[in-house]
Amino acid sequence: MTLSRVLARPMLTAVFALGTINAWKNADKMRERVRPVTDPVVRAGQKLGLPVPEDPATLVRINAGVQGVAAAALATGRFPRTAATILVASMVPTTVAGHAFWKSETPEERKAQMLQFAKNLSITGGLILAAVDTEAKPGLAWRARAATRQARREARHLAHSARQEARVAKASLT
């Protein structure tokens, strides 16, 4: 692993360590603020027959736990692409619920929430880059395309060989 990855991954995930601790400590206080995001998630989960907790504070703690585990995995280089993808997915409800600047009542609060929203957007951009970083190794999509190209080459070669053998067999019969 390159030095830039060794340094960048923990730096990118530091905010999740603080956020996880904060969410665990203050989940009950966040209950009403996150309800507009959690209620539709609960309804969608119930329609699909999933056992989704209805309490917003519980969902905040679950999200915090997922973020904490994924951030630790990314920071240590364990399944970094999967961890970054999980963090991207968890950032959407976190950002919408936590920094709904469009609902702010004062200009100062709106400005502060807008800044936090933009910060989360920036972190999400970095996570997207981490999610697609193959560390200079061929990714799954590249390997699939390469295997397809190789299979086509082999099929053309086999077809050409079969035609030549058919010609030889036909010539030997006459």
Side-chain angles (χ1 to χ4, degrees), residues 9-172:
R9 286 177 179 166
M11 291 168 69
L12 182 59
T13 60
V15 71
F16 293 101
L18 297 173
T20 297
I21 292 166
N22 181 52
W24 274 95
K25 285 183 178 180
N26 300 308
D28 292 324
K29 294 176 189 172
M30 296 177 185
R31 182 176 275 119
E32 291 310 312
R33 190 166 91 185
V34 301
R35 191 175 294 280
V37 174
T38 61
D39 286 351
V41 169
V42 169
R43 283 193 299 273
Q46 288 172 341
K47 281 183 184 178
L48 294 171
L50 299 173
V52 180
E54 292 184 22
D55 179 35
T58 302
L59 292 171
V60 166
R61 287 185 183 101
I62 290 170
N63 186 56
V66 167
Q67 285 185 343
V69 170
L74 179 58
T76 59
R78 309 266 189 233
F79 306 106
R81 296 177 71 194
T82 303
T85 302
I86 290 168
L87 288 170
V88 167
S90 74
M91 284 296 285
V92 174
T94 299
T95 302
V96 172
H99 305 297
F101 64 87
W102 52 92
K103 293 181 179 179
S104 299
E105 295 180 12
T106 66
E108 295 81 24
E109 182 186 353
R110 177 181 295 265
K111 187 175 180 180
Q113 290 301 329
M114 230 178 198
L115 181 63
Q116 293 301 314
F117 188 93
K119 174 198 56 104
N120 281 12
L121 209 57
S122 298
I123 291 168
T124 303
L127 289 168
I128 290 170
L129 288 174
V132 299
D133 178 22
T134 62
E135 298 184 33
K137 298 174 190 166
L140 190 59
W142 182 91
R143 285 185 260 171
R145 286 190 304 270
T148 301
R149 283 191 301 268
Q150 181 64 28
R152 285 183 183 147
R153 274 193 296 267
E154 286 183 33
R156 281 193 302 268
H157 176 71
L158 288 172
H160 178 73
S161 295
R163 283 191 300 271
Q164 283 183 330
E165 287 179 23
R167 282 186 213 122
V168 168
K170 185 177 178 183
S172 68

